Amino acid sequence: MDLSDLRVFQAVATAGGITRAATVLHRVPSNVTTRIKNLEDDLGVALFNREGRRLQLSPQGKVLLEFSNRLLSLAEQARNAMHEQAPRGVLHLGSMESTAAIRLPSLLGQIHERYPELSVELRTGTPRALTIRVLSGELDAALVAEPVSDPQLASLVVCTEPLVIIGPVDHPPIRSAHDIRKGTLLVFEPDCPHRQRLEAWCARDDMAPRRIIEVGSYHAILGCCVAGMGVALIPAAVLDTYTERARLSEHKLKGDFRAVRTMLVWRKDSPQPKVKLLADLIRENQLGRPKSSAQFVKRKTA
């Protein structure tokens, strides 16, 4: 049983006969008769009672007609939804934790206000895990750190995140990786792009950290740094929201390590109004425009 069978059945039930239904469907009567017989054989019931030339729905036929009307209506709504300009339903969005906390709240508020028929389901994770979910279709789009190299993905720059090394307030200036060679690195899991950048910075100076401790959240990393457990690399925007930042030292990085771009990614072969509106809002809000220097506290340079 498929939708085309149900359309034939619905036409016969409405017209009350094979010939009339065939005219409506632009089919020959024998084809309509065959489709109804096949449907009855498939379901194992008689859908019509024959009274002369006219067909009357059997009790089972009346039940099937009710379901047919609902299913065909839903199918038509689904077809129309593929071409609607106004987005609706659910936007399945992925994001890194820091981006979700710092960049997304105002954006999600605008989506809620402008598109009341669209809801957002947000999942956080590492760039690699989020990218896999976008490629599999589990997510419509995701906010991930560069690089984005998969040819199946389209991308848009969301913002450029300045990065800083933080440590306890009395930590000496950090000018190179050798300044932390006796210390401990506080990091996320190996897939974290900031951890990878910090490890690459150490490798550039041919320095292996004495100890690495994996931590599960930015709040935990900040608290551990305040307690003097080690140093960490985090987005400056995360530090700017921390109420205890006066108890931390900040150290800027140079060159390619000083910032990382956040990208919105989605499948090239699956453009959707939902993703387009998100991209348009990102452009409208100019999330990629860096803050002025007056908005940042002066930081030491590494």
Side-chain angles (χ1 to χ4, degrees), residues 146 159-164 194 197 233 253-262:
E146 62 179 345
C159 61
T160 300
E161 292 285 4
L163 302 173
V164 293
H194 305 320
R197 190 166 291 256
L233 179 68
L253 295 167
K254 290 181 179 179
D256 295 338
F257 297 98
R258 64 184 176 184
V260 62
R261 294 192 303 175
T262 298

Side-chain angles (χ1 to χ4, degrees), residues 6-289:
L6 295 181
R7 288 192 182 94
V8 171
F9 166 71
Q10 184 188 60
V12 174
T14 302
I18 296 294
T19 302
R20 292 178 182 175
T23 300
V24 172
L25 296 170
H26 304 289
R27 296 170 181 259
V28 296
S30 60
N31 176 265
V32 175
T33 299
T34 299
R35 296 296 291 271
I36 293 298
K37 184 178 185 305
N38 289 342
L39 184 58
E40 289 180 324
D41 291 343
D42 180 33
L43 295 175
V45 297
L47 298 174
F48 294 96
N49 296 320
R50 281 122 179 119
E51 296 181 0
R53 291 186 175 183
R54 190 164 182 83
L55 298 178
Q56 297 289 339
L57 284 170
S58 68
Q60 293 87 351
K62 292 178 181 178
V63 172
L64 182 61
L65 181 61
E66 182 180 347
F67 280 103
S68 297
N69 291 338
R70 290 158 58 185
L71 290 170
L72 293 172
S73 176
L74 284 173
E76 186 63 23
Q77 291 177 41
R79 181 182 297 276
N80 293 336
M82 297 301 100
H83 304 284
E84 286 183 348
Q85 295 302 313
R88 62 175 63 202
V90 180
L91 170 62
H92 298 278
L93 180 64
S95 175
M96 298 179 296
E97 180 186 350
S98 59
T99 305
I102 303 299
R103 304 292 182 183
L104 279 185
S106 62
L107 204 61
L108 297 181
Q110 291 180 54
I111 292 176
H112 178 72
E113 181 178 350
R114 296 187 190 185
Y115 307 100
E117 294 189 19
L118 178 67
S119 59
V120 178
E121 182 179 290
L122 181 65
R123 292 189 180 184
T124 59
T126 63
R128 181 174 179 274
L130 294 172
T131 299
I132 290 173
R133 288 178 172 176
V134 171
L135 290 171
S136 70
E138 185 179 347
L139 294 175
D140 299 315
L143 296 157
V144 301
E146 62 179 345
V148 176
S149 58
D150 195 296
Q152 299 178 79
L153 295 175
S155 63
L156 170 70
V157 177
V158 175
C159 61
T160 300
E161 292 285 4
L163 302 173
V164 293
I165 292 179
I166 61 170
V169 69
D170 58 351
H171 197 288
I174 299 175
R175 299 183 178 89
S176 74
H178 292 289
D179 294 325
I180 58 172
R181 64 184 181 279
K182 296 182 180 180
T184 298
L185 300 186
L186 303 169
V187 297
F188 285 108
E189 59 190 282
D191 278 346
C192 171
H194 305 320
R195 172 176 177 169
Q196 294 170 352
R197 190 166 291 256
L198 181 58
E199 291 176 341
W201 179 69
C202 292
R204 183 199 63 175
D205 289 348
D206 195 24
M207 194 282 295
R210 186 185 67 176
R211 187 182 183 192
I212 293 178
I213 296 179
E214 291 188 5
V215 185
S217 72
Y218 281 111
H219 283 295
I221 283 179
L222 290 162
C224 289
C225 285
V226 168
M229 290 180 58
V231 300
L233 179 68
I234 67 171
V238 172
L239 181 60
D240 289 340
T241 65
Y242 188 51
T243 57
E244 299 293 322
R245 59 180 298 168
R247 301 175 63 187
L248 293 167
S249 61
E250 308 169 44
H251 312 266
K252 264 191 175 181
L253 295 167
K254 290 181 179 179
D256 295 338
F257 297 98
R258 64 184 176 184
V260 62
R261 294 192 303 175
T262 298
M263 317 290 288
L264 177 71
V265 299
W266 65 95
R267 286 186 63 103
K268 291 179 180 177
D269 60 358
S270 301
Q272 299 182 49
K274 295 179 289 187
V275 176
K276 182 179 183 301
L277 82 84
L278 180 60
D280 289 344
L281 279 176
I282 288 172
R283 295 187 184 99
E284 178 184 325
N285 285 271
Q286 295 183 313
L287 295 185
R289 182 170 59 189

